[in-house]
Amino acid sequence: MKTGRNEPCPCGSGKKYKHCCLGASTHEAESPERLVWRRVRRVLDGFPAMMLKFIDDVYGPAAVEEAWTEFTLASDEDDTAFDPDSAHIPLFMPWFFHAWSPDVDTSIVDETLRDHSPTAELLQRRGRRLDPVLYRYLEACVDAPFSFHEILRAQPGHGFLARDVFSGEEWEVIERSGSEPMQAGDLLFGQLVDIDGITLLEASGPVLLPPGDKIHVIELRKQVMGGTGATPKERLRDWDMEIREMYLMLAERLLEPRLPELRNTDGELIVPHRVVFDVDSAQSAFDALKHLALDEPDEELLASSEHDADGQLRRVRIDWKKPDNAMHASWDSTMLGSIDINGARLIGEVNSAERAAELKRLIEEALGSRTRHRATEIQTMESALASGAERRRPAASADEIDLAKLPEVQARINELMAAHYEEWATAELPALGDRTPLEAVTDPDGREMVESLLAQMERGSREMKPPMDEVILRRLRERLGLAP
């Protein structure tokens, strides 16, 4: 039966239909679940402001500062002042309302408030005056733990299907704005709340974590869910601090990215170095050092060289290489650095202190009295990148850009990638506890870890230009006995 404009709205708000859901119904017929969602959102309008006033009245003005210190796991040396502009505020406020409670170390003097969250206290003191829908929703908030959830399916603008990484429980969540950036495989940290047959996203972190981060959560899960005698919800609440610590660590890497400790394929710490020499002539230096380019013929080494008016070699570049590669068995050689000879000046550039020392030894051994070491300089990453940019060739022509699109070039790239992933399956990986993927998939936790790594690789392969052949990772899944 069609609802009249002046009749009570079927969502239960108490308002006339024309002042409530009529506008939405003209665009689409709403399901019962969507009507429940709309009503819950309506009763939550103004709740945060009301809750903050209640906390200030009952717990005192210091509560938010003390809750913030606990939420961020700040130490005595840290700046513990509450930051209303923090990216974590959308997660902190629901946690503050529903999960935080004063303990013996806080300044809250009312002993009856110990171990009572502000929401639980509100329900106890004012529950009879609250809207029944709001009351049920807040009860569910107090009961729902904060946890990591894996996105199994996303419908941007509508909702998502999620699985709790710890308990394995799954929810079909109604969520509009929060579902927009989601992809299958993402990890969401937050709070999912059940009410009247639907599940809502009450709180979530400011970033979605990539699939590969699930490995860290699985390692924590072994501790959280181990043993017996408690329900999954109870365990999640008991381990709230450790789970939140994991979230803060993983989120910080995305919110405040830092340059990681980088190592080259020989395992040496990457610190750009320049070794500078004076030489008798460019030609003599080239003749003495060209063997460092392994089997590259002279004509290729000299293809981009420069000569003076008399035809004498003035400038040439040599790529210093060695056979094979310590990290990648399929590589024929390893690029160790570059040697730029310009008149009477020779500059070698490498990416570690060890390689700088070795290159200096090789140059002095090859040239002897015909060279003089001027300096070994440690470069910043910025100056090393700038130096490399100066030597870069002019912008590639359209023909060169199209080269990557050639079928034979793409075939070679896919051949190399296939060889890499063939080795990956039998490589001992620190992320898997120094086990190989083939070994890890033999137990449930290891299998889930390998799945998360594959999901990360599949996402990255789709973003390559051009995308990597999907068959490569499909074959890898088959080899590991994992479903596509």
Side-chain angles (χ1 to χ4, degrees):
M1 181 182 296
K2 185 177 180 180
T3 305
R5 290 171 53 83
N6 293 309
E7 292 179 11
C9 186
C11 78
S13 65
K15 297 181 180 180
K16 290 184 179 180
Y17 184 48
K18 65 182 179 182
H19 295 311
C20 191
C21 296
L22 175 61
S25 66
T26 60
H27 299 287
E28 59 176 341
E30 294 205 315
S31 66
E33 291 80 9
R34 185 63 67 174
L35 289 171
V36 174
W37 175 87
R38 187 179 295 281
R39 186 177 183 194
V40 172
R41 287 304 176 201
R42 184 178 296 110
V43 299
L44 286 173
D45 187 32
F47 168 73
M50 180 265 284
M51 193 66 189
L52 287 172
K53 185 177 186 309
F54 173 80
I55 293 173
D56 189 62
D57 292 342
V58 175
Y59 290 78
V64 66
E65 294 283 353
E66 295 184 1
W68 179 253
T69 299
E70 183 177 338
F71 175 84
T72 57
L73 305 174
S75 65
D76 294 337
E77 294 77 26
D78 296 330
D79 180 7
T80 60
F82 172 62
D83 180 9
D85 297 320
S86 168
H88 298 294
I89 288 297
L91 182 69
F92 166 71
M93 296 309 294
W95 179 88
F96 177 34
F97 295 162
H98 313 316
W100 174 79
S101 62
D103 55 32
V104 294
D105 295 324
T106 70
S107 63
I108 310 300
V109 296
D110 187 345
E111 290 295 331
T112 64
L113 298 176
R114 305 292 186 201
D115 300 323
H116 278 228
S117 71
T119 300
E121 191 67 19
L122 176 76
L123 292 173
Q124 182 174 313
R125 296 190 181 202
R126 303 182 183 177
R128 293 182 179 180
R129 287 176 277 169
L130 296 177
D131 182 290
V133 174
L134 179 59
Y135 185 93
R136 292 197 301 275
Y137 184 75
L138 295 181
E139 269 193 322
C141 288
V142 173
D143 182 59
F146 285 73
S147 186
F148 285 93
H149 304 89
E150 180 180 10
I151 306 303
L152 304 180
R153 183 187 68 246
Q155 295 177 282
H158 296 279
F160 56 93
L161 176 64
R163 178 192 295 133
D164 190 305
V165 178
F166 291 95
S167 70
E169 190 173 356
E170 295 185 7
W171 289 274
E172 193 76 55
V173 184
I174 299 176
E175 174 60 30
R176 289 186 172 176
S177 61
S179 62
E180 289 289 350
M182 289 181 178
Q183 301 180 60
D186 285 337
L187 288 182
L188 175 148
F189 181 77
Q191 186 183 38
L192 303 182
V193 177
D194 290 330
I195 177 173
D196 295 350
I198 67 171
T199 303
L200 303 181
L201 178 63
E202 165 66 5
S204 68
V207 290
L208 291 165
L209 304 172
D213 280 349
K214 187 180 175 184
I215 285 181
H216 304 289
V217 183
I218 293 172
E219 289 290 354
L220 179 59
R221 182 178 68 191
K222 296 176 184 178
Q223 304 174 58
V224 175
M225 306 308 289
T228 58
T231 67
K233 283 184 178 181
E234 290 170 339
R235 290 189 178 280
L236 289 171
R237 279 192 284 268
D238 289 342
W239 287 77
D240 171 74
M241 184 181 73
E242 290 82 2
I243 294 172
R244 194 169 67 257
E245 182 178 29
M246 174 68 71
Y247 155 73
L248 291 170
M249 179 198 71
L250 295 175
E252 182 182 15
R253 297 188 313 183
L254 298 176
L255 294 170
E256 299 180 20
R258 300 172 185 173
L259 192 65
E261 181 181 270
L262 302 177
R263 294 187 178 272
N264 60 32
T265 54
D266 289 327
E268 301 157 351
L269 186 66
I270 291 183
V271 180
H273 281 66
R274 282 163 43 111
V275 291
V276 183
F277 285 86
D278 289 336
V279 295
D280 285 351
S281 70
Q283 186 66 55
S284 65
F286 173 75
D287 292 337
L289 299 174
K290 63 183 181 181
H291 69 281
L292 296 180
L294 295 184
D295 55 355
E296 193 166 349
D298 287 10
E299 55 268 25
E300 290 189 15
L301 291 172
L302 294 169
S304 58
S305 62
E306 299 176 10
H307 295 74
D308 60 21
D310 298 327
Q312 298 298 310
L313 182 65
R314 184 177 70 82
R315 186 167 190 173
V316 65
R317 174 190 167 95
I318 299 171
D319 288 333
W320 176 31
K321 305 175 186 176
K322 73 173 182 179
D324 304 321
N325 186 274
M327 185 176 293
H328 305 286
S330 62
W331 290 13
D332 297 328
S333 62
T334 301
M335 177 78 160
L336 299 176
S338 66
I339 302 168
D340 187 61
I341 305 169
N342 189 358
R345 179 59 56 88
L346 181 155
I347 298 176
E349 297 199 3
V350 294
N351 64 11
S352 71
E354 293 85 351
R355 290 181 180 180
E358 177 63 7
L359 183 58
K360 178 177 180 293
R361 184 189 70 79
L362 291 171
I363 292 172
E364 291 175 335
E365 183 180 274
L367 288 168
S369 61
R370 292 173 293 165
T371 187
R372 177 188 173 197
H373 178 243
R374 302 285 297 185
T376 296
E377 305 167 351
I378 299 177
Q379 296 180 277
T380 64
M381 292 298 290
E382 291 78 8
S383 63
L385 290 171
S387 176
E390 290 177 3
R391 295 194 305 272
R392 197 170 295 134
R393 292 185 303 165
S397 66
D399 289 341
E400 291 173 316
I401 292 173
D402 288 340
L403 186 64
K405 299 179 181 179
L406 293 175
E408 56 269 32
V409 174
Q410 292 187 26
R412 178 55 180 161
I413 292 173
N414 284 322
E415 181 183 334
L416 293 172
M417 296 303 294
H420 167 72
Y421 286 117
E422 186 76 15
E423 293 175 13
W424 183 84
T426 57
E428 294 181 349
L429 305 180
L432 299 176
D434 292 327
R435 293 182 297 171
T436 70
L438 280 169
E439 293 169 339
V441 294
T442 59
D443 71 76
D445 284 344
R447 191 178 187 86
E448 201 171 344
M449 289 177 174
V450 175
E451 279 275 15
S452 70
L453 292 177
L454 277 171
Q456 187 76 52
M457 293 189 296
E458 287 163 343
R459 180 175 295 185
S461 72
R462 292 191 294 269
E463 295 171 355
M464 292 173 60
K465 302 295 183 183
M468 188 175 73
D469 188 349
E470 294 180 0
V471 173
I472 295 172
L473 291 179
R474 193 182 308 143
R475 287 174 179 164
L476 177 58
R477 278 189 172 275
E478 292 173 357
R479 185 180 180 192
L480 295 169
L482 300 174

